[in-house]
Amino acid sequence: MRSRVSRIVTLTLAAIVPVLSAQTPPASPSNSVITINTREAGTPFPHFWEQIFGSGRAVLSLRESYRNDLRTVKAVTDFNTVRFHGIFMDDVGLYDPNATTQNPGQTAQAAQAGQSPYNFSYVDQIYDGLLANHIRPFVELSFMPKKMASDPAALHAFWYKQNVSPPKDYALWDAMITAFTQHLIDRYGIEEVSKWRFEVWNEPNLDFWMGSPKQPTYFELYDHTALAIKKVSNRLLIGGPSTAQAAWVAAFLEHCKQNNIPVDFVTTHVYANDTAKDVFGTDEQIPRDKMVCRSVAKVHKEIAASPFPNAPLIFSEYNASYSNEPDVTDTVYMGPWLAGTISQCDGLTEAMSYWSFSDVFEEQGVLKTPFYGGFGLIAEDGIPKPALNAFAMLHQLGNRRIKVDSDSALATRRSDGTLSIALWNYAPPFGTGATYTPPPANIGPEKSFTLKLAGVAPNASVQLWRLDADHGNVVKTYDAMGRPAFPTRDQILAYLNENPDAVGERESVAAVKSLSAHMQPLVVQALLTTFQRSLKEELREWLTE
């Protein structure tokens, strides 16, 4: 496994290029002068964007490809929690009353008399696999077992056809929730499970919930679930409403207050191509790079004005698109988009769960090509996308944020004193929708930055990472090969080794107090000015652990 992680890191770190200089160009309309007072104490900057990741449905976590991708993203981001759909789906096998078995050529036989209706075999394998990789589950309690469903024919449009109806009898649902949570405590211990979060359902305001009317029937589901879980142990954490489009939060919290229903945290979702009509009820045109954090700010304010003003807010799904758009989620567009989203959302939410970490994913069926606009950071066959490189770069940011007067820069300090700065030149994607649009010959105007660093030693070392069309961008190689639907093994190796050179050398600059950078659109750079240990030393230690 170490060799595979090293290969991913090789691709990421080969984006180090010497585009910074100690010369200060004259100010111009295209040049931004950014002054950074490195002596400033700064404000706390927890890495809220990389603590939780989403993934496909629960049973996929049993696959080796899923676990390989999980380990790769863990090595890059050190995330600690994963969320997926469908722990109650029939392919996990938890709920099966009146179960029968049948051997070839023989009649079906009923299960032994008195046997429990619950089978925890796959549940245990799923959670054991996560914990073995130092990942906790963010337990989305979904979907409805068909033998418990009020409408067995209420199947969602996704390829795996999950049932989205309410239970036919809430006594059955309550008993399953009780048995499920008690089993988790028995197997893993209350000290461990009390650190997990339990979230009721997924996006009940859309077609993932067929209760009618939607909101009151979802509230009924939440009430039963929360009370059943707290009856097992008051230490277990429960939350919702897990809505799409940042919806229902104010009404949900008011309902919980009025009915004395426990709620430990708030969850909702938003995607950058959601419409203002759906999220805000307005007809304005909100750009893709602003939608997510405007939505986060909206919900943040709703919680502050609610009966639970201190409830933690977790956006348990977000991404630049809720649909398959290969010019968005497959490309270097994700670098500037992610950097800008992090900068804007800082201080408004406890955590945001990027959807998703891997394209081991089957909502639209079995994958037909590695680059189709999937949501994951890693394409089929373990091929790292530019988005993985963006997360790797931004992981290098420190834990204290230094104020800068720019919407295209983040300045931070690590605990060892290293100054870590991200710069980006945002531009809209080259194309939208399901059809891929190759990059045009003229991708737009450049942006120049001049950094004036107050308090940096003149002999400090500088290291630069870069993500753009020519660095950290496997799609360029894929395009050059004709975008094959089923790449050969040799082609896959070419993708993985597109950028040789593992770490890249530190770059010393004679006068670090003033640096300049020139960037085309859709570029993100991470600049590290090292006071003590070098990044190269840190990475060498990390890779040999």
Side-chain angles (χ1 to χ4, degrees):
M1 183 59 216
R2 181 173 294 160
S3 62
R4 186 172 185 275
V5 172
S6 297
R7 185 162 62 235
I8 300 300
V9 174
T10 294
L11 178 66
T12 302
L13 299 185
I16 301 169
V17 293
V19 300
L20 289 177
S21 72
Q23 299 176 356
T24 305
S28 68
S30 62
N31 184 58
S32 299
V33 178
I34 302 173
T35 300
I36 301 174
N37 181 4
T38 65
R39 301 183 184 90
E40 181 182 312
T43 55
F45 189 59
H47 286 207
F48 60 89
W49 68 91
E50 60 176 2
Q51 299 170 5
I52 309 173
F53 281 88
S55 72
R57 72 189 191 280
V59 76
L60 295 178
S61 70
L62 298 177
R63 294 185 186 174
E64 187 62 20
S65 56
Y66 178 105
R67 293 180 177 179
N68 283 339
D69 289 353
L70 180 140
R71 287 187 281 265
T72 297
V73 177
K74 172 72 172 178
V76 167
T77 66
D78 198 28
F79 81 108
N80 54 43
T81 305
V82 73
R83 173 185 179 268
F84 41 64
H85 304 318
I87 195 66
F88 295 156
M89 285 177 58
D90 290 349
D91 57 6
V92 176
L94 171 64
Y95 181 75
D96 191 13
N98 306 315
T100 61
T101 60
Q102 185 171 5
N103 291 312
Q106 299 181 10
T107 59
Q109 296 181 341
Q112 296 179 358
Q115 184 172 329
S116 167
Y118 312 114
N119 182 348
F120 294 103
S121 178
Y122 276 10
V123 170
D124 293 346
Q125 291 180 50
I126 287 167
Y127 292 146
D128 286 357
L130 297 182
L131 293 170
N133 287 286
H134 308 288
I135 300 291
R136 290 190 170 106
F138 190 105
V139 185
E140 177 197 303
L141 300 168
S142 71
F143 288 100
M144 195 59 61
K146 289 179 183 176
K147 289 185 178 181
M148 193 182 292
S150 58
D151 181 2
L155 304 181
H156 191 267
F158 280 169
W159 181 73
Y160 49 80
K161 302 295 186 240
Q162 71 271 34
N163 189 282
V164 291
S165 69
K168 61 185 177 184
D169 184 345
Y170 268 105
L172 296 175
W173 175 265
D174 294 352
M176 183 181 70
I177 295 295
T178 299
F180 175 72
T181 51
Q182 185 61 59
H183 174 81
L184 296 179
I185 292 172
D186 292 343
R187 185 172 182 86
Y188 303 111
I190 187 60
E191 294 303 322
E192 171 62 33
V193 180
S194 65
K195 298 179 176 67
W196 302 6
R197 290 186 173 96
F198 293 82
E199 179 187 41
V200 180
W201 214 254
N202 175 71
E203 297 187 347
N205 56 323
L206 300 184
D207 58 355
F208 294 93
W209 177 248
M210 297 305 291
S212 183
K214 283 185 180 294
Q215 189 179 88
T217 56
Y218 170 76
F219 288 172
E220 181 181 17
L221 177 78
Y222 181 87
D223 295 354
H224 276 271
T225 308
L227 292 173
I229 284 178
K230 291 294 187 178
K231 189 173 182 180
V232 173
S233 174
N234 196 50
R235 294 178 63 185
L236 299 181
L237 302 176
I238 184 73
S242 190
T243 41
Q245 301 161 348
W248 291 9
V249 168
F252 168 73
L253 293 175
E254 184 61 31
H255 165 83
C256 291
K257 176 64 175 179
Q258 293 299 324
N259 294 276
N260 198 29
I261 301 297
V263 56
D264 297 304
F265 58 92
V266 174
T267 64
T268 189
H269 307 162
V270 75
Y271 287 83
N273 58 336
D274 278 326
T275 67
K277 176 68 75 175
D278 287 335
V279 178
F280 298 97
T282 67
D283 294 321
E284 61 188 307
Q285 298 297 313
I286 301 177
R288 197 184 289 253
D289 63 321
K290 304 296 186 208
M291 172 57 79
V292 167
C293 293
R294 278 196 55 178
S295 304
V296 173
K298 164 186 173 286
V299 178
H300 179 85
K301 292 176 182 177
E302 289 174 347
I303 294 173
S306 79
F308 301 91
N310 298 317
L313 169 60
I314 299 171
F315 266 72
S316 53
E317 288 185 26
Y318 82 104
N319 201 324
S321 180
Y322 60 76
S323 56
N324 298 139
E325 296 188 273
D327 282 286
V328 179
T329 50
D330 286 345
T331 69
V332 295
Y333 170 81
M334 295 303 296
W337 180 84
L338 180 64
T341 298
I342 292 169
S343 178
Q344 297 169 51
C345 291
D346 176 30
L348 298 176
T349 177
E350 179 173 303
M352 297 176 70
S353 177
Y354 184 90
W355 186 260
S356 59
F357 79 80
S358 170
D359 279 349
V360 178
F361 197 86
E362 293 178 344
E363 289 183 354
Q364 287 75 42
V366 178
L367 300 189
K368 301 173 180 65
T369 177
F371 292 97
Y372 66 101
F375 305 115
L377 302 181
I378 303 176
E380 190 178 28
D381 290 310
I383 301 171
K385 297 185 187 180
L388 179 67
N389 294 329
F391 270 94
M393 292 169 66
L394 296 168
H395 179 69
Q396 304 304 322
L397 292 172
N399 56 11
R400 304 288 298 183
R401 184 174 183 176
I402 301 170
K403 184 178 180 181
V404 295
D405 187 17
S406 173
D407 61 1
S408 299
L410 267 169
T412 67
R413 184 188 297 103
R414 295 179 179 180
S415 57
D416 67 355
T418 299
L419 184 67
S420 180
I421 303 167
L423 305 172
W424 59 93
N425 185 2
Y426 177 84
F430 300 134
T432 57
T435 301
Y436 176 67
T437 301
N442 182 4
I443 62 175
E446 292 186 357
K447 178 181 286 188
S448 296
F449 295 92
T450 299
L451 302 182
K452 295 188 174 181
L453 308 178
V456 175
N459 63 344
S461 61
V462 176
Q463 185 165 24
L464 179 71
W465 293 8
R466 181 168 177 163
L467 174 63
D468 60 19
D470 298 318
H471 302 92
N473 178 26
V474 71
V475 177
K476 181 179 180 180
T477 303
Y478 184 64
D479 287 353
M481 291 180 176
R483 298 183 68 84
F486 302 103
T488 67
R489 297 305 303 172
D490 286 345
Q491 287 173 323
I492 292 168
L493 289 174
Y495 302 149
L496 295 174
N497 293 292
E498 180 196 60
N499 288 319
D501 205 63
V503 174
E505 295 299 324
R506 289 181 295 153
E507 188 178 346
S508 295
V509 178
V512 176
K513 290 187 177 181
S514 183
L515 301 170
S516 64
H518 313 281
M519 297 194 297
Q520 291 181 329
L522 300 182
V523 176
V524 61
Q525 297 179 355
L527 167 70
L528 294 103
T529 303
T530 308
F531 294 90
Q532 297 176 14
R533 300 179 65 198
S534 70
L535 176 63
K536 186 174 181 178
E537 290 170 331
E538 291 181 29
L539 288 167
R540 182 179 292 117
E541 179 179 300
W542 170 50
L543 290 171
T544 56
E545 285 180 352

